[in-house]
């Protein structure tokens, strides 16, 4: 999917919501556990109930890899279902990969070619040659970890390096990489005060923003400081939507929670 196609979907749906499909078998409705593939059936129900309210889905691959080959097959079925039934949706493989060049090339082929995700989250610690293989695929995107929402982010990301915080060095350096126009960035919602500085470096790039909802981030604050002329934000919510209920009405309740966020987003977009 091209960036312009993503922007068009945001306009059509009045939404920049990304729903995280982080499926934990201990949290899904018990009646699904009786089915052959409870993970896929859970995802399918959530997707069917919410697809018109969001522009993106983001399966965190750890929640599938943890269940071995069956979990991976559930991931394959989920992305295939999305691509076939809802091709307008921007898909994110939250895999946080990044390794030496030939290894990253194989990771990129696995997620962007074989599974056919639109994008993948990537760790930048190993530098240019570990990220550029993900940028080599036409109309695909690498979403670089820039400033994350976890407590440990302060261990390295905000440390001062020759007068500049490390996350700023990472973002500025990444702009020089080949096909950097295909880069997006992860910036945690719990770091809203940093968005102004980040937008000085990358005024138009899309930012994937976790941390709204269960982690306490404010949608209003993120939009105030982080929104670009083309919105430029994908606000992720996972637990607050998909685990709104563990009863038979789980998909209906997930829709209700997604709708609350979408209506808030619509209001924000209409004010612009």
């Amino acid at each position: 999917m091209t960036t312009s196609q993503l922007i068009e979907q945001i306009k059509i749906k009045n939404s920049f919501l990304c729903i995280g499909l982080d499926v934990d078998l201990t949290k899904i409705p018990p009646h699904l556990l009786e089915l052959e593939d409870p993970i896929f059936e859970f995802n399918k129900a959530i997707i069917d109930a919410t697809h018109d309210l969001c522009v993106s889905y983001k399966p965190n691959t750890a929640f599938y890899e943890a269940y071995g080959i069956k979990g991976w097959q559930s991931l394959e079925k989920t992305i295939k279902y999305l691509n076939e039934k809802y091709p307008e949706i921007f898909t994110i493989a939250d895999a946080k990969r990044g390794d030496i060049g030939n290894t990253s090339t194989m990771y990129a082929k696995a997620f962007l070619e074989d599974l056919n995700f639109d994008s993948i989250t990537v760790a930048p610690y190993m530098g240019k040659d570990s990220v550029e293989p993900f940028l080599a695929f036409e109309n695909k995107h690498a979403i670089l970890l820039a400033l994350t929402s976890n407590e440990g982010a302060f261990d390295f990301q905000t440390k001062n390096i020759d007068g500049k915080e490390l996350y700023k060095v990472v973002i500025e350096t990444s702009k020089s990489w080949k096909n950097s126009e295909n880069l997006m960035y992860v910036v945690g919602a719990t770091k809203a005060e940093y968005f102004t500085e980040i937008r000085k470096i990358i005024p138009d790039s899309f930012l994937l923003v976790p941390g709204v909802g269960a982690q306490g981030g404010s949608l209003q604050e993120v939009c105030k400081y982080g929104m670009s002329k083309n919105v430029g934000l994908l606000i992720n919510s996972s637990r607050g939507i998909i685990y709104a209920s563990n009863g038979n009405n789980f998909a209906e309740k997930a829709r209700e929670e997604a709708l609350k966020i979408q209506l808030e987003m619509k209001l924000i977009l209409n004010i612009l």
Side-chain angles (χ1 to χ4, degrees):
M1 178 180 286
T2 65
T3 303
S4 60
Q5 287 172 325
L6 175 56
I7 293 169
E8 184 63 23
Q9 284 301 308
I10 291 172
K11 293 176 180 177
I12 290 171
K13 293 182 174 179
N14 280 308
S15 173
F16 42 101
L17 174 62
C18 171
I19 297 177
L21 299 175
D22 304 347
V23 186
D24 183 339
L25 288 179
T26 68
K27 294 181 180 180
I28 69 173
H31 72 274
L32 294 178
L33 299 176
E34 301 171 6
L35 302 177
E36 182 180 351
D37 190 342
I39 294 176
F40 173 68
E41 295 299 337
F42 177 80
N43 283 345
K44 180 177 178 294
I46 295 290
I47 291 165
D48 288 341
T50 61
H51 68 91
D52 58 317
L53 302 174
C54 68
V55 295
S56 179
Y57 288 101
K58 181 181 70 66
N60 185 318
T61 61
F63 286 82
Y64 300 83
E65 294 169 290
Y67 298 109
I69 186 63
K70 288 185 177 180
W72 193 261
Q73 288 170 344
S74 298
L75 178 65
E76 287 182 310
K77 288 165 70 174
T78 297
I79 186 62
K80 183 179 180 181
Y81 184 74
L82 278 166
N83 286 336
E84 290 181 353
K85 190 162 185 181
Y86 305 110
E88 76 282 1
I89 291 288
F90 183 75
T91 55
I92 302 170
D94 190 2
K96 299 179 181 69
R97 296 302 200 262
D99 206 328
I100 60 173
N102 61 338
T103 306
S104 279
T105 296
M106 292 304 173
Y107 280 140
K109 287 174 65 68
F111 287 99
L112 303 179
E113 191 173 273
D114 181 44
L115 291 175
N116 198 22
F117 276 93
D118 292 309
S119 63
I120 180 173
T121 56
V122 177
Y125 192 80
M126 292 181 68
K128 176 175 70 174
D129 57 323
S130 70
V131 176
E132 285 186 338
F134 296 97
L135 300 172
F137 291 75
E138 187 176 4
N139 297 332
K140 303 286 187 177
H141 306 267
I143 308 179
L144 205 67
L145 298 175
L147 186 60
T148 54
S149 58
N150 61 305
E151 182 181 349
F154 296 104
D155 289 345
F156 300 114
Q157 296 168 29
T158 58
K159 294 299 183 185
N160 199 290
I161 309 295
D162 295 329
K164 188 177 294 184
E165 291 114 318
L166 181 58
Y167 77 90
K168 291 182 181 178
V169 176
V170 169
I171 296 172
E172 288 178 351
T173 302
S174 72
K175 291 169 63 179
S176 68
W177 296 342
K178 188 176 181 180
N179 298 321
S180 62
E181 66 274 10
N182 293 332
L183 275 173
M184 298 179 178
Y185 299 84
V186 175
V187 180
T190 52
K191 308 287 191 297
E193 66 272 21
Y194 293 94
F195 278 85
T196 300
E197 292 299 308
I198 289 171
R199 280 305 187 198
K200 291 178 183 177
I201 307 170
I202 43 171
D204 300 318
S205 299
F206 262 84
L207 308 179
L208 172 63
V209 185
V212 169
Q215 294 185 51
S218 165
L219 176 60
Q220 295 288 342
E221 287 290 296
V222 169
C223 292
K224 179 180 179 180
Y225 298 109
M227 189 169 280
S228 71
K229 63 183 179 181
N230 289 317
V231 180
L233 297 171
L234 291 173
I235 304 294
N236 182 76
S237 180
S238 301
R239 289 169 286 173
I241 293 176
I242 66 174
Y243 297 133
S245 169
N246 70 343
N248 291 340
N249 64 343
F250 73 96
E252 177 186 340
K253 291 298 182 181
R255 179 176 178 82
E256 289 178 7
E257 293 303 314
L259 181 60
K260 291 177 185 177
I261 300 174
Q262 187 270 333
L263 289 175
E264 189 176 356
M265 289 178 171
K266 182 179 180 179
L267 182 62
I268 292 169
L269 291 173
N270 288 340
I271 291 173
L272 297 179

